[in-house]
Amino acid sequence: MSVSIATSEAPVPATVQRDLCLGSKSRMPEFSLAGKVVCVSGAARGLGLTQAEALLEAGAKVYALDRLEEPSPEFWELQKRAVEELGTEIHYRRIDVRDTELLNNAIEAIANTEGRMDGLVAAAGIQQETPALEYSAKDANTMFEVNVTGVFMTAQAVAKQMIRFGNGGSIALIASMSGTVANRGLICPAYNASKAAVIQLARNLASEWGQFNIRVNTISPGYIVTAMVEKLFEQYPERRDEWPKQNMLGRLSTPNEYRGATIFLLSDASSFMTGSDLRMDGGHAAW
Ligand SMILES: NC(=O)c1ccc[n+]([C@@H]2O[C@H](COP(=O)([O-])OP(=O)(O)OC[C@H]3O[C@@H](n4cnc5c(N)ncnc54)[C@H](O)[C@@H]3O)[C@@H](O)[C@H]2O)c1
């Protein structure tokens, strides 16, 4: 049997030629989120708020969902910047992701107002450090209720609206490297199990919702210096020195280092990516 091998002399298939963007006047237009409506849970502060800012810069209109009565002062600064500098908007909706009825009503109301729903970054999450032998069922259930069921119900509420409008969409769930490895010296069995569940949940949602052109992926960050982690450092100051030694880059990350991943996953730049986990942990879990 003869096998034909393509060489550089071979003509480029017409389909490939049509896809070439050479000569395009815009710069990487597939990363633009102009005109898109995106919800971000856990966006009153921390990583969620930083992701919201990146989405605004890429052109999206953003709805921040969080259980805090008032978002952090930075939220209001960002709201001003969105209108004055970026020509878009960010709004706050107080929602506990455990309240499924409120969650669905709020997301449906956003979709009704905007006439569309294009994306979700699910960053709301909690952390608890307790040895496995001392963990109560009540605390374990709370962890799973927020980090797994809450994320699941947020994705479901957003997907329902995406399906209603028929334009597809993209969902990024914030998991963690702790969904892949057990952290050395960080005792949080339920949290780590919850993040493994988020990674597996995303694969299943992706498999069910691909038919609606809804993509679902996870981002698995390594240690990020946010309010959540600062609180741990106050309790265990030695971790400030220990943790950076556990990854290949020898440092901890900042929330800004996940901006690009979110824009990539929410935009057409990742149009053929679904059911994947984007692990960004300075090589922690590769060692
Ligand atoms: N900080 C890290 O090192 C790190 C690493 C990997 C993954 N993560 C994940 O990133 C996400 C953001 O973490 P962060 O460090 O910014 O934490 P954070 O505590 O600063 O922010 C989490 C936000 O989620 C909100 N939230 C919590 N429970 C909620 C609920 N029931 N309903 C609605 N909102 C709720 C909080 O009010 C808060 O604003 C979390 O999912 C976390 O597990 C963090």
Side-chain angles (χ1 to χ4, degrees):
M1 193 177 79
S2 76
V3 178
S4 70
I5 298 168
T7 67
S8 57
E9 307 292 315
V12 180
T15 49
V16 173
Q17 278 175 341
R18 254 203 316 278
D19 282 349
L20 285 175
C21 289
L22 295 178
S24 157
K25 290 220 166 42
S26 26
R27 302 282 184 258
M28 299 294 284
E30 60 269 51
F31 283 92
S32 170
L33 293 175
K36 307 251 184 199
V37 174
V38 179
C39 292
V40 184
S41 72
R45 66 178 193 203
L47 182 66
L49 184 58
T50 304
Q51 304 291 46
E53 181 174 37
L55 293 163
L56 291 167
E57 286 183 21
K61 189 165 181 179
V62 176
Y63 283 83
L65 319 173
D66 204 289
R67 71 172 169 186
L68 297 184
E69 197 171 331
E70 278 286 315
S72 63
E74 292 81 25
F75 176 89
W76 303 115
E77 281 172 39
L78 180 60
Q79 190 174 55
K80 196 161 166 273
R81 182 175 174 234
V83 173
E84 292 176 1
E85 281 178 39
L86 303 171
T88 181
E89 293 169 29
I90 180 167
H91 300 284
Y92 188 70
R93 297 285 183 271
R94 188 184 180 197
I95 286 163
D96 191 311
V97 295
R98 291 171 292 182
D99 185 342
T100 313
E101 196 183 338
L102 179 64
L103 189 61
N104 273 287
N105 289 344
I107 290 173
E108 187 180 354
I110 293 168
N112 286 343
T113 304
E114 300 297 338
R116 60 189 302 141
M117 181 58 69
D118 304 288
L120 167 70
V121 178
I126 54 170
Q127 157 71 295
Q128 180 181 331
E129 206 175 344
T130 304
L133 287 173
E134 292 161 28
Y135 227 108
S136 71
K138 184 169 170 287
D139 283 357
N141 283 337
T142 303
M143 179 64 65
F144 299 135
E145 191 181 8
V146 175
N147 286 13
V148 185
T149 312
V151 166
F152 186 5
M153 292 300 112
T154 310
Q156 184 195 66
V158 166
K160 279 182 190 164
Q161 299 311 315
M162 290 172 171
I163 292 166
R164 179 156 75 99
F165 289 101
N167 297 322
S170 179
I171 295 176
L173 310 179
I174 305 300
S176 169
M177 67 174 178
S178 308
T180 299
V181 292
N183 308 46
R184 192 181 294 272
L186 179 64
I187 311 298
C188 42
Y191 175 84
N192 288 10
S194 78
K195 292 301 182 179
V198 170
I199 295 170
Q200 180 63 331
L201 176 68
R203 293 188 194 111
N204 285 270
L205 300 183
S207 75
E208 287 196 44
W209 299 342
Q211 62 182 311
F212 305 113
N213 195 26
I214 298 173
R215 300 182 294 106
V216 187
N217 295 287
T218 46
I219 298 177
S220 282
Y223 291 122
I224 318 166
V225 185
T226 62
M228 201 188 239
V229 168
E230 282 293 356
K231 224 165 75 188
L232 283 178
F233 286 161
E234 280 167 25
Q235 215 180 334
Y236 309 98
E238 68 284 0
R239 289 180 183 175
R240 248 184 236 282
D241 301 322
E242 281 310 311
W243 282 3
K245 293 181 197 152
Q246 296 175 3
N247 70 57
M248 296 169 183
L249 296 178
R251 64 177 179 82
L252 303 182
S253 69
T254 66
N256 282 342
E257 295 186 85
Y258 303 90
R259 283 164 44 98
T262 294
I263 302 309
F264 170 62
L265 288 181
L266 268 284
S267 70
D268 290 345
S270 61
S271 56
F272 199 55
M273 181 170 174
T274 196
S276 286
D277 179 41
L278 199 48
R279 184 157 48 74
M280 304 173 68
D281 61 358
H284 185 118
W287 239 347

